[in-house]
């Protein structure tokens, strides 16, 4: 199946056509200025200009849950660990909290679960009967420094195991050496290997360091057909930050304005609190609008964040501050 | 009732109201009305007027209309307290200012909520900008009080300061005025704006809470009439005003000749220049901070957006999109980006100007605003430089957008204004940014940022945006004075020059004709008349009788000497050393000239020798009187650059005709100014002789221009001249008053002194004070980080 044929086949959770990509067009990003100081200023006021309180806050936190890629990416992951994670994805909030919020009938789940490739079969099994997609980090995650044919094979294998979404890592060297053609070819090949599965391109923004690199890499990944662009692996020194995210969503907006194609955004790593969940949602709403608050265009790559959200929501329901040990583990 | 699922469908923010109960309780306690804060306590309310919350139109309280008697009582209290306050050690004053800073922080939410209620600005701004900056200002100035003797030796406070502040940043402007004044040892009578007096009254309570000695800070409320009483009060030593250029001009006229020191922080129409290589998203967020911050009710608002034609389309698209995200409404809602306009009077003014702009062809793009005292965020496209919207300060949320082609074009458009308060420049090219920053006529230049403030940097304008700085070392200078030299006998008005042939001249040499010196050339007086110059025993020669047209020509010539201000200090120093060398070579000739005027031989020798030494001193300073890098915010370089005023008029005293001239003209040109000098009216020939020295010293034409004649008449023409940036007048008291009044036209900086006050041969005759007067400080903010 070619990339073009895939375009009009939305997956289970998506209600818009996939980004088919375009030929590499460096004019869309080369020389594009990103002023770090200004990005930091804007990022700093995102959370001071906007605030959600009471029921609105509860709703926004529920929305965040819908967008969470509940993740475990550890060397000691096991089938049991993945089962527990999937149980939490199916039932992210205790029934008493769902009742209290009046959303028991809503069928709230997380946006996806995200695991290593060999854990995919366990996740698929654990999520059978739900619409929760299984995402997996293929392509030699996290460094990605293995031969391309093996990485492509890893994608195909993982998709065969039932993964709906593949979070790929890019070769940072291509960005650091500004070899945009190599980066484009790599992501395009991975997109093809994904087939029906959605491709989420992890740009390793902590490694590529400058916001100009972040903008350029975002644009190349989208041109090569990424369905999502994602900040980081969670393994870098610096992971998702608001200035980096701001730069990526602006690239995404510019790509959309130029081509008409919609691409999703996934910040990942380092976001631990309910407050973070709100901050990133403000960013999406302010810069891109409500469509990018839906799980088909927005995901939060997180693990411990859900626990904090659950505590906040219980407080909302009961008026008492909550304790983590009274909530089920992820 | 919103259910979770309803909200999930819309993802609205909902309301996030800031609780105002504690502040409302305070207002209720004071519902009988506020009096003034005089001599450490509140007076009983007098004749009161309502204070409204512009967002809701509710009455927040009543304050007293200050009468002339109230002002007088406040000035008396301040006067009584001043010697004791100034006599405290810097450390003691620092402790009070530190305590104020601490208490402002501890009451920060109270002050923010009160400010937003009273002024209509969003709580986000009062909470995150105004009040933290207030605390920062008091901390910073606690430091200046502590360090005064070490860092600014030889200075003294003015005495009692009258301070009048505007309604756009009520508490912050109070801090900008009060903190440096108190740090320097002044005491204060402050009038907050009648629309927004409440935080000043709350601040008075804080002053009482920290035990500030009574009479040090006095607050009198009222409208413009109360302000006029302050300006007119004879017991004040300094007036500091922030507000409109129109009122500033009036204050300049009214204080002329009173000896009151004056600083003015006035209006602006600041350019916001976006080059093609800028980060457009960054620049657009800059526009949000520039013109929609405080609903554009900001004197330094970047109101004129100038954008490179090549990126204008995308820029306008993105700007409009961003504007539509702004939320206008309840100032106490944490989701509000833009609150109310301060008062219906201002709203009407904004509406009127915008309607006029539309009539002139502007096309508007506007966001939404609720009913009431609100104005929507507005972008006005197709605004030409002649349009009302491009020239008038709107003081509302209205940005104009104009395109430019080249950097040169951008500078021309940016400087095409009467004002000179601020500017911002957006480009990723550091060469371009700094080149443009140097060329813009503005006291504050922000590179890739805008409306960034810190107590450690100076803020204040060029041109008709006023004079004086607030913040940093330069801000402290505005509240300090060097002991003023005083004449035993004030300079008497010289006899009017008579353009008629008179008694026989002394001397037997070949007749020498002293002409004017304009644009590096000798020029005959336009009038065609000459007047006799008296020596010790009868006339010693003739001098041209200058008139308005000679001044006009001289100012034009001075403007042509543009390269001088851009030359390196080293280049200027070389020329000045050369002047000294040539003056020295002709020392005997100059001595003879002075003797012919009636000076003793030894006095003449001293005058010439001092002139030579002084020329060396200013040559030495030419490349050393440099600026500073201020300590402000992290990841910012804040450069305080000394820039020349431009074209200056200098009216010299009658006595010591060579040394008086050299002592005033040399510091001015050492700093890069071009000068139109009026030499001693009675003995101009010592100065006109100098032009031969200038000619042989490679001084570029137009840097010094000399026009002789009736000093006061010529000085008045200079003072009134709209294209002269500063004037120094050393002459009579009446002349000084006339100069200060006439300088109000373009609000040029003036320095007026009794011509007999200084002994030019002594220490008073030179110093850094002259260089400060010959320069203005431009603060350039450069954030960094990649």
């Amino acid at each position: 199946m070619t990339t073009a044929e895939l375009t009009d086949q939305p997956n289970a959770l998506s209600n818009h056509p996939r980004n088919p990509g375009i030929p590499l067009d460096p004019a869309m990003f080369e020389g594009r200025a990103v002023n770090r100081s200004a990005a930091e200023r804007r990022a700093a006021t995102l959370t001071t200009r906007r605030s959600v309180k009471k029921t609105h806050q509860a709703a926004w936190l529920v929305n965040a849950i819908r967008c969470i890629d509940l993740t475990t990416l550890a060397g000691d992951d096991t089938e049991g660990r993945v089962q527990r994670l999937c149980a939490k994805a199916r039932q992210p909030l205790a029934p008493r909290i769902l009742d209290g919020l009046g959303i028991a009938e809503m069928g709230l789940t997380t946006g996806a679960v995200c695991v290593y490739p060999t854990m995919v079969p366990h996740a698929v099994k654990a999520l059978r009967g739900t619409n929760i997609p299984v995402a997996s980090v293929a392509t030699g995650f996290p460094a990605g420094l293995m031969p391309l044919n093996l990485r492509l094979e890893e994608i195909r294998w993982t998709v065969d195991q039932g993964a709906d979404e593949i979070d790929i890592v890019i070769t940072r060297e291509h960005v650091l050496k500004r070899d945009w053609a190599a980066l484009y070819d790599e992501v395009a090949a991975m997109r093809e290997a994904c087939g029906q599965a959605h491709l989420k391109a992890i740009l390793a923004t902590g490694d590529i360091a400058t916001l100009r690199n972040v903008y350029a890499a975002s644009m190349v990944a989208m041109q090569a057909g990424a369905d999502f662009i994602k900040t980081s692996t969670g393994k870098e020194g610096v992971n998702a930050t608001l200035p980096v995210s701001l730069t990526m969503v602006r690239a995404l907006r510019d790509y959309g304005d130029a081509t008409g194609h919609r691409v999703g955004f996934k910040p990942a790593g380092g976001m631990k609190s309910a407050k973070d969940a709100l901050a990133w949602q403000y960013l999406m709403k302010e810069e891109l609008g409500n469509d990018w608050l839906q799980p088909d265009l927005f995901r939060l790559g997180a693990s411990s964040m859900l626990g904090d959200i659950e505590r906040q929501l219980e407080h909302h329901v009961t008026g008492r501050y909550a304790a983590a040990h009274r909530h089920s583990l992820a | 009732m919103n259910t979770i699922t309803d909200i999930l469908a819309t993802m609205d923010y909902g309301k996030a109201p800031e609780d105002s109960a504690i502040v409302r309780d305070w207002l209720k306690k004071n519902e009988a009305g506020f009096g003034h804060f005089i001599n450490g306590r509140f007076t009983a309310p007098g004749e009161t007027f309502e204070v409204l919350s512009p967002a809701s139109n509710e009455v927040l309280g009543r304050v007293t209309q200050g009468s002339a008697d109230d002002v007088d009582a406040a000035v008396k209290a301040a006067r009584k307290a001043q010697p004791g306050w100034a006599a405290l050690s810097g450390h003691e004053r620092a402790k009070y200012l530190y305590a104020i800073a601490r208490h402002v922080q501890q009451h920060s939410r109270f002050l923010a909520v009160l400010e937003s209620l009273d002024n209509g600005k969003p709580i986000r701004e009062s909470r995150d900008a105004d009040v933290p900056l207030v605390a920062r200002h008091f901390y910073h100035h606690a430091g200046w009080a502590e360090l005064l003797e070490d860092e600014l030796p030889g200075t003294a406070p003015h005495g009692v300061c009258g301070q009048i502040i505007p309604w756009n940043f009520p508490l912050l402007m109070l801090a900008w005025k009060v903190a440096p004044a108190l740090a320097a040892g002044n005491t204060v009578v402050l009038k907050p704006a009648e629309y927004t007096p409440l935080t000043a009254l709350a601040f008075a309570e804080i002053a009482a809470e920290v035990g500030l000695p009574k009479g040090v800070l006095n607050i009198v409320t009222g409208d413009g009439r109360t302000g006029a009483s302050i300006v007119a009060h004879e017991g004040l030593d300094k007036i500091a005003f922030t507000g409109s250029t129109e009122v500033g001009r009036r204050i300049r006229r009214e204080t002329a000749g009173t000896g009151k020191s004056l600083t003015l922080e006035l209006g602006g129409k600041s350019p916001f220049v976006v080059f093609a290589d800028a980060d457009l998203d960054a620049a657009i967020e800059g526009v949000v901070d520039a013109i929609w911050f405080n609903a554009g009710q900001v004197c330094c608002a970047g109101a004129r957006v100038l954008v490179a034609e090549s990126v204008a389309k995308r820029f306008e698209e993105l700007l409009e999109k961003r504007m539509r995200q702004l939320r206008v409404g309840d100032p106490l809602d944490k989701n509000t980006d833009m609150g109310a306009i301060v008062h219906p009077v201002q709203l009407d003014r904004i509406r009127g100007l915008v309607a006029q702009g539309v009539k002139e062809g502007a096309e508007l793009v506007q966001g939404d605003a609720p009913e009431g005292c609100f104005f929507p965020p507005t972008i006005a496209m197709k605004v030409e430089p002649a349009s009302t919207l491009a020239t008038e300060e709107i003081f509302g949320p209205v940005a104009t957008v104009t395109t430019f082609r080249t950097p040169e074009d951008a500078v021309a458009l940016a400087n095409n204004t009467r004002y000179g308060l601020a500017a911002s420049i957006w480009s990723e090219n550091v060469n371009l940014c700094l080149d443009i920053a140097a060329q813009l006529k503005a006291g504050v230049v922000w590179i890739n940022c805008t409306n960034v403030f810190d107590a450690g940097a100076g803020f204040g304008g060029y041109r008709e945006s006023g004079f004086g700085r607030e913040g940093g070392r330069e801000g402290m200078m505005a509240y300090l004075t060097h002991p003023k030299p005083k004449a035993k006998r004030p300079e008497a008005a010289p006899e009017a020059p008579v353009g008629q042939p008179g008694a026989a001249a002394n001397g037997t040499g070949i007749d020498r004709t002293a002409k004017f010196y304009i644009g590096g050339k000798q020029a005959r007086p336009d009038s065609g008349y000459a007047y006799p110059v008296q020596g010790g025993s009868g006339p010693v020669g003739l001098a041209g009788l200058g008139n308005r047209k000679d001044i006009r020509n001289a100012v034009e010539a001075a403007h042509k000497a543009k390269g001088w201000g851009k030359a390196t200090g080293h280049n200027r120093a070389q020329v000045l050393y050369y002047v000294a060398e040539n003056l020295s070579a002709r020392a005997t000739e100059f001595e003879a000239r002075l003797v012919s005027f009636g000076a003793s031989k030894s006095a003449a020798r001293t005058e010439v020798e001092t002139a030579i030494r002084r020329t060396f001193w200013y040559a030495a300073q030419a490349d050393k009187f440099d600026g500073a890098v201020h300590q402000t915010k992290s990841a910012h370089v804040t450069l305080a650059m000394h820039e020349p005023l431009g074209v200056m008029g200098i009216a010299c005293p009658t006595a010591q005709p060579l040394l008086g001239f050299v002592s005033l003209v040399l510091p001015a040109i050492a700093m890069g100014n071009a000068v139109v000098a009026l030499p001693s009216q009675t003995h101009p020939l010592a100065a006109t002789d100098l032009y031969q020295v200038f000619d042989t010293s490679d001084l570029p034409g137009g840097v010094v221009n000399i026009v002789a004649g009736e000093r006061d008449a010529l000085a008045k023409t200079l003072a009134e001249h709209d294209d002269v940036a500063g004037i120094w007048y050393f002459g009579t008291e009446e002349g000084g008053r006339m100069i200060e009044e006439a300088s109000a036209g373009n609000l040029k900086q003036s320095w007026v002194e009794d011509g007999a006050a200084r002994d030019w041969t002594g220490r008073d005759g030179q110093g850094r004070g002259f260089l400060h007067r010959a320069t203005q400080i431009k603060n350039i903010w450069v954030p960094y980080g990649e």
Side-chain angles (χ1 to χ4, degrees), chain B residues 46-70:
Chain B
E47 179 203 326
T48 60
F49 60 89
E50 288 178 345
V51 180
L52 298 176
S53 181
S56 61
N57 208 33
E58 67 186 305
V59 178
L60 296 172
R62 307 189 65 87
V63 300
T64 299
Q65 168 64 29
S67 64
D69 286 346
D70 294 333

Side-chain angles (χ1 to χ4, degrees), chain A residues 226-243:
Chain A
D227 296 290
F228 262 74
I229 50 176
K230 173 175 168 185
T231 56
S232 33
T233 57
K235 314 285 184 193
E236 292 130 78
V238 181
N239 291 290
T241 66
L242 281 172

Side-chain angles (χ1 to χ4, degrees), chain A residues 35 50-51 212 254 286, chain B residues 13 279 314 335 337 428:
Chain A
N35 187 285
R50 294 294 176 260
S51 176
R212 288 164 207 257
D254 289 345
E286 290 295 312
Chain B
Y13 292 112
D279 175 348
R314 180 68 175 158
N335 283 310
D337 292 305
E428 292 297 305

Side-chain angles (χ1 to χ4, degrees), chain B residues 255-503:
Chain B
T255 55
T258 62
K260 283 178 189 140
S261 171
L262 180 65
T263 46
L264 299 172
E265 203 270 89
L266 308 175
K269 190 76 189 171
S270 298
F272 185 103
V273 188
V274 183
F275 288 97
D277 68 340
D279 175 348
L280 291 189
D281 283 305
I284 279 154
E285 213 50 46
V287 175
V288 173
D289 291 336
I291 195 67
W292 296 316
F293 176 61
N294 201 15
Q297 303 169 112
V298 184
C299 50
C300 52
R304 289 185 298 136
V305 178
L306 307 172
V307 58
E309 208 171 327
S310 58
V311 293
K313 190 171 163 286
R314 180 68 175 158
F315 179 84
E316 286 167 8
E317 233 170 68
L318 291 173
L319 181 60
E320 182 182 341
K321 210 164 153 190
R322 179 68 184 95
M323 185 189 74
R324 296 199 183 283
Q325 290 299 115
L326 295 174
R327 298 165 63 89
V328 183
D330 181 4
L332 288 184
D333 189 327
K334 292 169 196 163
N335 283 310
T336 293
D337 292 305
M338 221 172 80
I341 299 299
V342 71
H343 193 274
V345 167
Q346 285 301 119
L347 182 65
D348 286 346
R349 187 170 176 278
I350 297 166
R351 285 182 175 154
L353 286 166
V354 170
Q356 178 67 25
V358 169
K359 216 183 276 175
E360 291 165 1
E363 289 176 9
L364 303 184
V365 180
Q366 292 189 297
D368 295 322
E371 289 289 303
C373 201
F374 295 91
F375 195 85
T378 299
I379 307 165
M381 315 274 196
K382 304 218 163 111
V383 174
E384 299 304 331
S387 163
T388 304
L389 291 181
T391 56
E392 294 305 307
E393 184 177 34
I394 300 169
F395 232 65
V398 184
T400 64
V401 178
T402 307
T403 61
F404 65 84
R405 300 159 296 170
T406 60
E408 199 184 3
D409 205 18
V411 169
L413 284 164
N415 283 338
N416 186 210
T417 171
R418 282 172 286 149
Y419 298 111
L421 190 49
S424 60
I425 302 167
W426 298 78
S427 161
E428 292 297 305
N429 176 344
V430 66
N431 279 41
L432 177 64
C433 287
L434 293 176
D435 182 31
I436 303 300
Q439 293 184 64
L440 294 185
K441 300 284 180 213
V444 184
V445 178
W446 289 295
I447 292 176
N448 291 322
C449 60
T450 199
N451 278 345
V452 181
F453 306 101
D454 187 81
F459 181 92
Y462 282 25
R463 293 182 169 169
E464 291 175 42
S465 292
F467 42 78
R469 294 289 179 268
E470 299 186 289
R473 185 180 291 265
E474 52 263 45
M476 276 307 289
M477 296 298 291
Y479 282 93
L480 290 164
T481 172
H482 289 87
K484 280 187 188 123
K486 220 171 147 54
K488 285 196 198 90
R489 254 181 351 151
E491 187 180 300
E495 264 180 56
V498 178
Q500 298 166 0

Side-chain angles (χ1 to χ4, degrees), chain A residues 29-90:
Chain A
F29 55 86
E30 276 194 330
R32 170 65 155 78
V34 184
N35 187 285
R36 158 89 59 185
S37 314
E40 286 174 350
R41 272 198 306 274
R42 170 60 171 150
T45 61
L46 271 168
T47 49
T48 59
R49 282 182 183 275
R50 294 294 176 260
S51 176
V52 284
K53 295 291 173 205
K54 301 199 163 87
T55 315
H56 279 85
Q57 187 179 84
W60 278 63
L61 291 176
V62 168
N63 192 65
I65 294 173
R66 293 164 64 191
C67 296
I68 286 179
D69 279 6
L70 195 63
T71 302
T72 184
L73 294 170
D76 58 357
D77 284 346
T78 61
E79 179 176 6
R81 164 79 185 113
V82 170
Q83 278 170 355
R84 204 162 73 200
L85 186 83
C86 292
K88 189 71 181 173
R90 300 168 74 129

Side-chain angles (χ1 to χ4, degrees), chain B residues 715-731:
Chain B
K716 183 160 192 279
T717 305
L718 278 169
E720 287 170 344
H721 200 303
D722 281 344
D723 216 2
V724 171
I727 186 157
W728 294 356
Y729 174 89
F730 287 71

